[in-house]
Structure formats: C-alpha cells, structure tokens
C-alpha cells in the first residue's frame, strides 16, 4: 500500500481550491483596514528616558488591593499582552479587578548603547516599582515578568525582596543550558565582545533573523502557505497582519545590556550557577521567599519548558506553584485557549495571596 | 485640468484593457481544452499565478508586501507539488512495490526542489538552504548588501596566495596596506566559515528526505494515508524541521555557527574602520567619537542619579548646626574659666604621675 492516496483529479481540485483562495484573498486585501494594536485605554504614570510606565484603565475600578506591574522583555514590543479585543491578557485581568501597570521600554537608539543591566534592573525597574508603591502607599507590589522580563524580575526580586509581594514568571528562562535550548546553544560559540564592539546596539532585524532560523521552513514558508487557508476571511487576515506587525516590530538591543545578558545568562548560566551580579548587587535566587507562580508553555521553542521548570529548585520560597500551558511561546498570550486559562489562573492565584 | 474629452478617453482605455484581458482569458481556456496531455504537463502552474498577481495592486504597501511574500511561497509550493507529481508519473512501474513504498515520492519531492532559476549550486536539492537564504535576504538586507559590495572589493584578493597577506608593509602608506591585508584576511576567513556552515545545511536537507522516507513508510496503512499534496508538504516540513534540529543542536553546528558570526563581525569591523578612516579625512564625525561622547554622558548621568538618590542630608546638617550653636553658647567666659581650671588640674595630675613613674 502506498503512503499517498492521491489521484490526479484530487490534485487538480486541490490546486484549483488553492487558487480560488488566493483570488478571494486579493479581494479581501483591498478591504483590510490598517492594523492597530492595543485595545485598552491607558494613562502615562511615569517617564524616564525612553521608558514609559503605563496604568491600564478597565471598565470598572480595580478591586485588587495590590497593583500588578508587568515587566516585558526588551526584545519585543510589550503590546502583545494587549494585542486586540479578543486577545488581551491585560483586558482579562482588568475585568477580574486587577490593577495593571506595564513598562514600555521604547525603541533604543545608539545614544542608549551604554545602558547596562544595572541601569535596567536596579535603575528603571526599581524606580517604576517605587513610583507605584508611593502612589498606592504600599511597601510592595505584585510583579509579572515575561520571558527576558521574567529573568529581570527574578533578579529584581532577589535583590529587593521587600518590594515584591507576589512574583509571577511567564515563559521565563532560568536554566539556560538545557539540551533542547537551540538559542542558547548557538550563543555559546559567539565572541560577544567582538559582536557588541562591532555593532554597538544589536539591530532588530538581526535578532528577528535569528528567531526565524530556529525553524526556518515553518516560519518562512509554511506559515505563508497556511495563510492562504484563511485569506478569504477579512477578520482572520487582519489578525494575521497584526501578529506580523508585532513579530517584526522589534526594538534594537542596547549593546552593554546585550553583552552582559548573553555572557552571564546564556553563556555562563549564572542565574542558576551563581556568581551573577547586577551592578554591585549580588543575585541570589534563594532570597526569593515571596510566593511564586511559574507559567510556561509546553511547546515553547524559544524558552523550552526544561529551561523554566528548574525555578522551583533554585528559589527560597515555600509557596511555589507551577502552571504548564499547552501551547507555544506566543500562543500563551494570544490563543483563545490562553485567554480562557491564563488570566483567570493568574487572578485566582494572586487573590489568595493578596489578603 | 481634466477635460470631459480626456475623462472619456481614460474610461474608454480602462474598458479596452478589461476587454483585452477577458478575451485573452477566453482564448486561454479554449486552447487549454484542446492541448495534448504531454504539452500541458510541461506548463508550470505557478506562471498562471505570476500573471494573476499582476492584476493585484493593494491600496496599502503593507498588503502589497504581504501579497509579494504570499505569492513567492505559493508559487514555490505549486511548483514543488506539480514537479513532484510530474516526476512521480515519470517513475518506472511498479508504483506499488511494497519494498519501495516511500522512495518514489521522496525522490520526486527531492528533485522538485530544484526550482528553475536557482543560480547557487548549494541550493540544488537543498530546500533548507533555500528557506534560510530567503529569510536572510529579508532580515539582513543591509548586511547582505554590504557583503555583496565586499565581495566585489575583495574579489581580486581571492586570487592572491594567502601567504601574500602576511608580507609586512613598508613606507608612507604602510598603515593602510596593513589594514587592507587585514580586511582581505577577514573576508577569506568569513568565506571559509560560511562554506562549513553551508555544508551542514546541505547535510540537514539530505537528512530531511531520509526522515521523510521513514514518516511516509509509517503512513502506508489504511486510515493513515496522506490524501492531498498539502498533507505531503506538511509532512515534509515536519521532517525538514526535525532534521534541522538534529544538526542545529550538535556540537559541530555550535562551533561552526559561532565561527560564521565571529568571522562576519570581523569583516564588518574592518569595513567600519575603513569608513571611519575616510570620515576622519573629510572631517565627518565618526561612530567612535559619538560612542565616546555617549559613554561619558552616560557615566555623568549615572553619577548624578546616584547622588540624587542619596539620603536627604539637609535636615541632618541643620540639626548638627543647631548642636554646634548650642555648644558654642555653652562655652561662655564663666564657663571658659571653670573649664580652664579643670584642664589645668588634669594636666598637673598627669605630670605628677609621670614623674613618679620615672623615679620608680
């Protein structure tokens, strides 16, 4: 028996359906509106350099006593958490009564080239946390770190545990040397000093290229063949375009912060092995004694689950919870399943620990 | 200003063009229905898409970009699928030899990736390299342009023996000669590293067809057969990504990837130094100068912020000043005299003790 049960007529029918979809798509593309992102109203609370600290406004006033600050990665734009009406973790959290803040890092340029991890973690993040604490007259707040922002949040929480009431890490790499971590694997042979000394800031295009080459055929070819399946649906095409915008709307990475992040985290794996210093401050994950919720995606090819799971063993808290989400690195924010599962899980966990 | 005559002319011209293409389409349909099978199979399906796409002009650039990407992938997909089927048909029977279930389709698919127009030898039978090549063209346009320029600049050096690059430089322009030698050496190092990288990518492509063969063999049973070309394509993508991951997670790939990146930076660094040299000659501010300014500014701002965040000492200073004032006030003439006599007594006592200890 052959593996393929294909007749010439089937092939022709398939090819014609393919072309019909493209033809319909040509009409749809004429009707598609400009893609916008961010569906939730927000106000500016604090600015520093290119950083803006936002507070989101829900339909009702927040009921949570302790505000939640989202710290996103530097490598992508943070509006992924509030992408559109039906794909917004922020909107879902607000509807549950959470008081949500977010740091927008902005778009660095070469004048920011000498910003270090010390500036980001002991500087920007700390000052944003202090601003929120002062506004609410609280000694500490809830922190939600996403991806690289999660790594930053772990560092911050170990250096300033008194400022963090509850910590949530989403798709956060902790152990950078697991066998299935392709990104980490590739950095190990790089001369990062030569890289940063030559480029200064690392261009966003180069970062995006690196991510695309993790799955070259799926992300550069199959994705666009799959687009044809939905090309006759205006809403789906707009959703696709919005995702495309986010994927390629990436900021450059400031040179010195990039240097240290790759050398200390990716190459030396200091977050778990020890010896990590942010400025003059030592990072000791055992000092994280506040409750921790660790959320990771089971099909994550950028931050494999094996990189996130070890968090349980390296922190000092006795209140550790883990949530494994069935999806990928991006799906955990934007899939309909994620909208149903993740924000309620975050809210329920926080509610029990914010009394 | 458009007159009524010119507006009528424009409308007439648009109508004429629509009529032309409609008539062309009707003719194409009639002709296709009368062609022999052999003639039809040689006509690429993707050329129909090519013509079709030219009718499309989206109102916004982002949609044109999307359509361009879509059409590129759609044409490749249709070419691969049509070629696979053509080659499968060309395979000698028996098609249903149980011992060779997967091979005919795998061979057909493998050869289908030799898409007409490919001008790089390493892209033959190498779909992984094709995909990477396309991604790189999008992601590193400026770097690729620089590399192409560098290739033209360094081409003469590739004919020199490598040993010539190590000959010491003399004279007034020795610094420049040394720099050009370094640039050429960097370029050659990059070419060598890239060659090793391409060899691994080719290995990955070859491996993908081995894995596909196994996957197809697993589907040679009722209920698991693939019933569309799309399903075959999707299965091949799974196989290709699996093969790529095997190679990409190997120690050899790690070393080679690092070598390519480092060599590329080496070339770029040399080019940047050359640009700086020229900029200095023309009095244009350079990257190095700007970096120096930015670094100093950054350090100054950090120091200012550090000082701003020091505890507020003004109240402490005020308190200390009040204490000093109070102490000064306490030290009045009467108090000064009594303090003087106390001091004299202390000194006298100390000197008596000292003289006693000397006697002892």
């Amino acid at each position: 028996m052959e593996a393929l049960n294909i007749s010439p007529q089937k092939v022709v029918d398939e090819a014609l359906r393919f072309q019909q979809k493209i033809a319909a798509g040509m009409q749809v593309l004429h009707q598609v509106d400009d893609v916008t992102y961010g569906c939730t109203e927000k106000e500016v609370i604090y600015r520093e350099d290119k950083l803006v600290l936002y507070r989101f406004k829900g339909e009702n006033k927040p009921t949570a006593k302790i505000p939640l600050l989202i710290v996103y990665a530097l490598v992508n734009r943070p509006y992924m958490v509030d992408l559109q009406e039906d794909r917004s973790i922020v909107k879902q959290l607000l509807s549950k009564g959470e008081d949500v803040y977010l740091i927008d890092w902005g778009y660095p340029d070469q004048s920011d080239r000498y910003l270090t991890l010390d500036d980001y973690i002991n500087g920007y993040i700390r000052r944003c946390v202090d601003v929120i604490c002062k506004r609410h007259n609280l000694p500490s707040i809830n922190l939600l770190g996403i991806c690289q922002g999660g790594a930053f949040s772990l560092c911050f929480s170990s250096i300033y545990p008194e400022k963090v009431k509850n910590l949530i890490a989403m798709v956060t790499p902790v152990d950078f040397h697991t066998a299935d971590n392709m990104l980490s694997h590739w950095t190990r042979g790089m001369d990062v000093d030569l890289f940063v000394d030559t480029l200064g800031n690392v261009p966003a295009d180069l970062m995006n290229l690196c991510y695309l080459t993790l799955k070259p055929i799926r992300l550069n070819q199959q994705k666009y063949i799959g687009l044809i399946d939905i090309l006759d649906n205006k809403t789906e095409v707009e959703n696709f375009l919005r995702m495309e915008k986010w994927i390629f709307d990436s900021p450059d990475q400031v040179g010195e912060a990039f240097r240290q992040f790759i050398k200390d985290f990716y190459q030396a794996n200091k977050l778990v092995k020890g010896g990590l210093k942010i400025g003059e401050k030592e990072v000791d994950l055992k000092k994280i004694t506040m409750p921790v919720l660790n959320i990771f995606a089971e099909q994550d090819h950028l931050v494999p689950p094996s990189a996130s799971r070890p968090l349980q063993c390296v922190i000092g808290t006795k209140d550790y919870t883990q949530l494994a989400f069935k999806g990928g690195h991006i799906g955990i924010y934007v899939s309909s399943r994620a909208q149903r599962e993740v924000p309620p899980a975050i809210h329920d966990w926080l509610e029990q620990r914010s009394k | 200003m458009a007159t009524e005559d010119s507006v009528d002319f424009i409308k007439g011209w648009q109508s004429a063009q629509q009529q032309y293409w409609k008539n062309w389409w009707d003719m194409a349909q009639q002709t296709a229905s009368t062609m022999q099978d052999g003639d039809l199979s040689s006509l690429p399906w993707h050329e129909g898409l090519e013509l079709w796409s030219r009718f499309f002009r989206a109102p916004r650039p982002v949609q044109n970009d999307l359509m361009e990407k879509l059409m590129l992938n759609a044409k490749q997909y249709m070419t691969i699928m049509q070629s696979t089927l053509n080659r499968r048909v060309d395979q000698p029977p028996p098609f249903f030899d149980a011992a060779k279930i997967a091979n005919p389709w795998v061979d057909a698919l493998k050869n289908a990736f030799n898409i007409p127009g490919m001008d790089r030898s390493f892209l033959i039978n190498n779909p992984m390299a094709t995909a990477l090549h396309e991604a790189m063209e999008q992601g590193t346009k400026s770097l690729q342009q620089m590399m192409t320029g560098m290739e033209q600049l360094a081409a003469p050096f590739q004919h020199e023996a490598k040993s010539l690059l190590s000959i010491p430089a003399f004279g007034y322009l020795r610094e420049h000669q040394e720099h050009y030698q370094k640039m050429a050496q960097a370029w050659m190092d990059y070419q060598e590293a890239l060659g090793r990288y391409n060899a691994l990518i080719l290995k990955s492509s070859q491996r993908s067809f081995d894995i596909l063969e196994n996957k197809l063999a697993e589907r040679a049973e009722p209920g698991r057969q693939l019933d569309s070309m799309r399903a075959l394509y999707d299965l091949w993508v799974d196989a290709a990504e699996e093969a790529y991951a095997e190679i990409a997670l190997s120690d050899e790939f790690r070393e080679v990837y690092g070598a390519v990146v480092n060599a590329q930076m080496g070339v770029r660094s040399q080019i940047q130094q050359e640009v700086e040299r020229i900029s200095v000659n023309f009095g244009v501010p350079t990257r190095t100068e700007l970096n120096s300014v930015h670094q100093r500014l950054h350090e100054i701002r950090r120091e200012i912020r550090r000082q701003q965040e020091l505890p507020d000492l003004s109240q402490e200073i005020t308190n200390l000043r009040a204490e000093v004032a109070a102490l000064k006030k306490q030290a009045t003439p009467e108090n000064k005299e009594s303090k003087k006599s106390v001091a004299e007594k202390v000194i006298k006592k100390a000197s008596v003790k000292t003289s006693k200890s000397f006697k002892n």
Side-chain angles (χ1 to χ4, degrees), chain A residues 280-298:
Chain A
E280 296 300 313
K281 310 276 190 184
E282 292 250 0
V283 172
D284 177 4
L285 295 184
K286 288 292 181 198
K287 289 187 178 166
I288 295 179
T289 52
M290 76 288 299
V292 173
L293 171 61
N294 187 14
I295 306 175
F296 51 84
E298 287 181 343

Side-chain angles (χ1 to χ4, degrees), chain B residues 58-312:
Chain B
R60 297 184 190 89
V62 67
Q63 292 150 357
N64 270 330
D65 288 344
L66 179 66
M67 207 58 199
E68 199 180 296
K69 212 175 236 184
L70 195 72
M71 293 309 294
L72 173 68
N73 284 292
K75 279 186 284 186
Q76 282 182 353
Y77 173 71
M78 292 196 80
T79 303
I80 290 164
M81 293 304 119
Q82 188 188 10
S83 299
T84 303
L85 218 54
N86 279 342
R87 288 178 188 276
R88 184 68 183 86
V89 165
D90 288 342
Q91 296 278 347
F95 295 150
F96 304 108
D97 185 339
K100 297 180 185 177
I101 286 169
N103 283 345
W105 285 105
V106 173
D107 285 343
L109 188 61
K110 192 188 294 187
N111 285 293
F113 278 104
N114 298 334
I115 295 166
M118 290 293 181
D119 58 357
R120 299 272 194 112
S121 59
F122 73 87
L123 292 175
I124 299 296
N125 284 357
N126 198 348
M128 187 60 71
T130 308
L132 285 166
H133 190 64
E134 283 161 13
M136 283 177 192
E137 280 187 337
Q138 290 301 314
T140 58
K141 272 198 172 113
S142 59
L143 193 61
Q144 283 295 107
Q145 284 160 359
M146 195 194 322
M147 287 299 167
T148 307
M150 185 61 204
E151 193 170 13
Q152 290 162 359
L153 186 70
F157 291 101
Q158 288 178 335
H159 300 296
E160 304 269 352
K162 216 170 179 180
S163 59
L164 288 176
L165 294 175
S166 60
I167 292 176
F170 299 92
Y172 174 63
L173 296 174
R174 67 170 302 280
E175 296 299 316
H176 296 276
Q177 183 182 336
E178 269 197 1
H179 173 67
Y180 289 127
Q181 284 173 326
K182 279 184 190 168
M183 208 188 315
Q185 185 65 59
W187 176 253
M188 289 168 77
D189 292 343
Y190 171 64
Q191 290 296 308
E192 193 185 316
L194 193 61
R196 292 172 63 205
Y197 176 81
N198 287 337
L200 284 178
I201 296 302
L202 178 62
K203 203 168 152 184
S204 154
S205 281
Q206 290 164 344
R207 176 78 182 118
S208 74
F209 293 110
D210 293 339
I211 294 177
L212 177 63
E213 224 172 280
N214 295 336
K215 286 184 183 292
L216 282 175
E218 289 167 7
R219 277 157 178 78
E221 57 185 50
R224 294 202 69 196
Q225 288 177 300
L226 305 175
D227 60 3
S228 67
M229 296 305 284
R230 178 67 176 276
L232 174 62
Y233 171 78
D234 287 342
L235 193 71
W236 171 75
V237 173
D238 290 344
E241 291 292 355
E242 213 176 294
Y244 180 72
E246 270 180 24
I247 301 283
L249 284 169
S250 67
D251 289 344
E252 187 186 3
F253 189 90
R254 180 202 291 188
E255 189 261 313
V256 167
Y257 187 90
V260 168
V261 171
N262 296 340
Q264 205 175 66
M265 288 303 116
V267 172
R268 189 178 174 127
S269 174
Q270 293 299 323
I271 294 173
Q272 281 175 187
Q273 286 176 49
E274 186 61 19
V275 169
E276 287 226 345
R277 233 181 293 278
I278 295 167
S279 300
V280 163
N281 287 340
F282 282 95
V284 176
T286 65
R287 181 80 258 152
T288 303
E289 288 163 1
L290 276 170
N291 281 349
S292 176
V293 170
H294 287 147
Q295 191 170 16
R296 290 179 206 175
L297 187 60
H298 182 71
E299 284 163 11
I300 290 169
R301 293 178 79 224
R302 278 173 67 103
E303 182 56 29
I304 291 172
R305 198 164 278 133
R306 193 190 67 78
Q307 294 197 7
Q308 282 173 341
E309 289 181 349
L310 286 172
D312 187 3

Side-chain angles (χ1 to χ4, degrees), chain A residues 2-3 5 14 30 32 34 48-49 114 118-119 126 185 191 198 205 213 217-218 221 229, chain B residues 57 60 88 95 105 139 225-226 229-230 233-234 236 241 244 250 262 272 298 301-302 305 309:
Chain A
E2 284 222 6
N5 180 20
E14 196 182 339
H30 273 285
V32 160
D34 276 338
E48 186 181 346
D49 298 333
Y114 290 97
D118 184 28
D119 293 311
R126 180 181 58 80
H185 189 72
D191 182 344
T198 304
D205 281 348
T213 54
I217 296 196
R218 228 182 269 293
Q221 203 182 84
D229 293 337
Chain B
R57 281 293 176 269
R60 297 184 190 89
R88 184 68 183 86
F95 295 150
W105 285 105
Q225 288 177 300
L226 305 175
M229 296 305 284
R230 178 67 176 276
Y233 171 78
D234 287 342
W236 171 75
E241 291 292 355
Y244 180 72
S250 67
N262 296 340
Q272 281 175 187
H298 182 71
R301 293 178 79 224
R302 278 173 67 103
R305 198 164 278 133
E309 289 181 349

